[in-house]
Amino acid sequence: MTRMQNIRALLRRFREDERGTTLVEMTVAISCFLLILFGMIDYGRLSYHHTTAEKAMHIATRVAVVRPPACTGVPRVNARGSTTLTPLPRFGASCSAASNSCADPGEITCTGDAGNSTASEIWGLVGSGLPPGTTISNLRFRYTFDEDLGFLGGPYVPMVTVELDDANFSFISPLGQLVALSGGTAPAGLGAAISLPAFSVSLPAEDLAQGMDG
């Protein structure tokens, strides 16, 4: 047998040798299995944090409407708006009795601050259920005038909104690498931290006073 025939015989045996194929197939199969498993875990975590963040804002707003404002500059009482109305609304009249009966202080917003008792209390209630890395500064508070709430000279009763903003979710599984191991091409950003949507809830502040009817 010539040297060339020997080389051809070796190449033919190498081409026909199936030893090790099972190991290669098992590697691909395990990669696919791990991709599905870790994908379920991480996207389950994402769904969990989405649900808990939404629920947390309901709790946060419910507390905010019965506590002192989390922002500075929120009025304590409804001041008179226009002094030219005829007849001039009496103190105790509903703010909706006439346009501009009560002064509109404008929308007042602020970021959660641990130095504020209301923000600190809310964070103590909801912080543990929010995604890792979220801080009290991710909370936004907004107080908005509504003439259908409150009465002239009485406690200021705004619409209160609490929002979770700029919160991120981080994957713990190497999803991109697992896609590559299974023979696929990972989409750009797969497995990277993603920004959660803003979650906000609004409720009217509570006031037990009854104006001229009480």
Side-chain angles (χ1 to χ4, degrees):
M1 184 179 290
T2 64
R3 181 179 179 185
M4 183 60 67
Q5 289 174 325
N6 287 333
I7 293 175
R8 288 175 179 172
L10 287 172
L11 290 174
R12 183 167 55 254
R13 285 198 298 271
F14 178 77
R15 185 175 62 249
E16 296 174 352
D17 191 352
E18 296 184 356
R19 290 176 297 178
T21 56
T22 302
L23 180 61
V24 174
E25 292 171 354
M26 185 176 67
T27 300
V28 175
I30 289 177
S31 299
C32 292
F33 171 76
L34 292 178
L35 175 62
I36 295 172
L37 175 63
F38 287 122
M40 291 175 61
I41 292 173
D42 260 340
Y43 281 97
R45 291 178 57 245
L46 176 59
S47 177
Y48 166 79
H49 283 302
H50 190 285
T51 301
T52 55
E54 187 175 22
K55 180 64 176 179
M57 291 307 97
H58 282 276
I59 296 173
T61 308
R62 191 69 192 88
V63 173
V65 299
V66 295
R67 295 290 188 270
C71 301
T72 59
V74 178
R76 297 188 61 182
V77 297
N78 282 308
R80 189 181 295 280
S82 173
T83 58
T84 60
L85 293 173
T86 305
L88 199 64
R90 297 167 49 195
F91 282 101
S94 172
C95 289
S96 61
S99 179
N100 204 26
S101 292
C102 300
D104 180 357
E107 186 175 88
I108 299 171
T109 62
C110 65
T111 298
D113 182 356
N116 179 274
S117 60
T118 297
S120 181
E121 178 183 358
I122 289 172
W123 180 250
L125 292 171
V126 305
S128 60
L130 298 177
T134 306
T135 68
I136 192 172
S137 63
N138 290 108
L139 296 179
R140 308 283 189 267
F141 296 88
R142 183 164 67 249
Y143 296 83
T144 309
F145 175 75
D146 188 328
E147 66 178 11
D148 291 326
L149 301 174
F151 53 92
L152 182 60
Y156 179 60
V157 187
M159 286 294 297
V160 181
T161 301
V162 183
E163 181 177 82
L164 177 67
D165 197 18
D166 294 333
N168 294 319
F169 172 81
S170 297
F171 290 89
I172 61 174
S173 305
L175 299 181
Q177 292 89 326
L178 289 174
V179 170
L181 284 174
S182 62
T185 301
L190 180 64
I194 60 174
S195 297
L196 293 176
F199 299 90
S200 66
V201 176
S202 299
L203 289 172
E206 294 190 359
D207 172 31
L208 298 181
Q210 299 180 31
M212 293 190 300
D213 296 326

